[in-house]
Amino acid sequence: AQTVTQSQPEMSVQEAETVTLSCTYDTSESDYYLFWYKQPPSRQMILVIRQEAYKQQNATENRFSVNFQKAAKSFSLKISDSQLGDAAMYFCAYRSAEGAQKLVFGQGTRLTINP
Amino acid sequence: DTEVTQTPKHLVMGMTNKKSLKCEQHMGHRAMYWYKQKAKKPPELMFVYSYEKLSINESVPSRFSPECPNSSLLNLHLHALQPEDSALYLCASSQAVSYTQYFGPGTRLTVL
């Protein structure tokens, strides 16, 4: 079974600075998808970024980018120019490319932005 | 537009009540999901519907009964719940089961 580990329960960063959230995963599959979701206090899970395992190029969405290291099974999220609205719980998630439709989530990292 | 709507936002019910949660999407998605999320924990998958047919039931107790009347609507019928069922219930949808899931805002359920 696949597992996802987020080793940082809490992180904080100064507004306008850069922060990196860590995620590692364990799988024997070669084809899969990885996601970062954000859950602010409003509770809605919002997709931040998605990475296909077969793509070597790291995904980027505006101020959000990932460092995908397939051999190391690492998938970190970098947030540049942090804004107050980035404060949220961030979940890393894994999904197999075949068969199961289940998202496997990490335990989450709570990110605080200091003004 | 990636909007999934859920009603109600909050629900308080007694252990003998019967209530329903509703989830709706108009994106033409053919897969819909129910998740349960306890405080400070990640969401846990409960059910998956694909093309209006139940494809995954994660061994959820029978006091939770899902229903997918059409491709846009997903219900979760609740009966004889326990206080430990109090949680945030999230609905999600995707174009198909192999596509990215988009979540609704959730229903905060409290069972007294």
Side-chain angles (χ1 to χ4, degrees):
Chain A
Q2 295 83 18
T3 59
V4 177
T5 302
Q6 294 178 248
S7 58
Q8 308 150 316
E10 296 183 356
M11 293 278 286
S12 63
V13 64
Q14 290 295 125
E15 193 176 3
E17 297 291 308
T18 296
V19 63
T20 298
L21 308 185
S22 300
C23 173
T24 58
Y25 57 94
D26 188 26
T27 184
S28 58
E29 299 175 329
S30 59
D31 198 12
Y32 49 87
Y33 299 91
L34 295 165
F35 305 86
W36 279 99
Y37 281 93
K38 159 186 176 180
Q39 189 174 36
S42 65
R43 310 175 320 199
Q44 183 158 6
M45 295 278 285
I46 301 166
L47 177 68
V48 175
I49 203 163
R50 157 188 158 131
Q51 174 80 43
E52 293 88 344
Y54 64 85
K55 289 187 177 178
Q56 292 187 337
Q57 186 172 6
N58 289 324
T60 299
E61 287 289 341
N62 300 315
R63 297 182 295 106
F64 299 87
S65 61
V66 297
N67 183 1
F68 173 49
Q69 302 288 327
K70 190 172 184 179
K73 296 179 183 175
S74 171
F75 182 60
S76 61
L77 175 70
K78 185 172 85 171
I79 306 174
S80 303
D81 186 25
S82 298
Q83 300 176 0
L84 295 177
D86 295 332
M89 180 72 88
Y90 285 80
F91 289 101
C92 178
Y94 170 104
R95 201 197 76 227
S96 174
E98 295 183 20
Q101 304 112 40
K102 186 174 178 176
L103 276 173
V104 179
F105 287 94
Q107 291 299 305
T109 295
R110 180 164 298 284
L111 178 64
T112 301
I113 312 295
N114 300 313
Chain B
D1 185 5
T2 56
E3 187 176 86
V4 177
T5 60
Q6 290 187 243
T7 54
K9 289 186 178 180
H10 302 276
L11 179 62
V12 179
M13 59 186 291
M15 290 190 286
T16 58
N17 292 158
K18 284 185 180 181
K19 297 286 185 182
S20 297
L21 309 184
K22 179 180 172 181
C23 173
E24 202 160 5
Q25 56 87 13
H26 295 286
M27 297 176 281
H29 289 178
R30 301 313 300 266
M32 297 186 77
Y33 312 76
W34 280 117
Y35 288 83
K36 174 182 177 180
Q37 186 179 23
K38 301 286 275 184
K40 300 184 179 180
K41 295 291 187 182
E44 299 174 356
L45 183 66
M46 300 175 72
F47 303 103
V48 179
Y49 273 84
S50 178
Y51 289 86
E52 299 151 52
K53 294 189 187 307
L54 184 65
S55 64
I56 291 181
N57 176 342
E58 290 283 303
S59 302
V60 178
S62 60
R63 58 186 183 269
F64 295 92
S65 175
E67 178 196 19
C68 189
N70 59 58
S71 60
S72 300
L73 190 56
L74 184 66
N75 297 319
L76 186 63
H77 302 296
L78 314 172
H79 174 56
L81 294 193
Q82 304 297 310
E84 59 264 28
D85 296 322
S86 298
L88 180 67
Y89 288 83
L90 293 165
C91 175
S93 73
S94 63
Q95 191 172 344
V97 293
S98 58
Y99 288 74
T100 300
Q101 295 178 30
Y102 296 93
F103 286 80
T107 294
R108 174 75 65 194
L109 174 67
T110 302
V111 182
L112 301 177

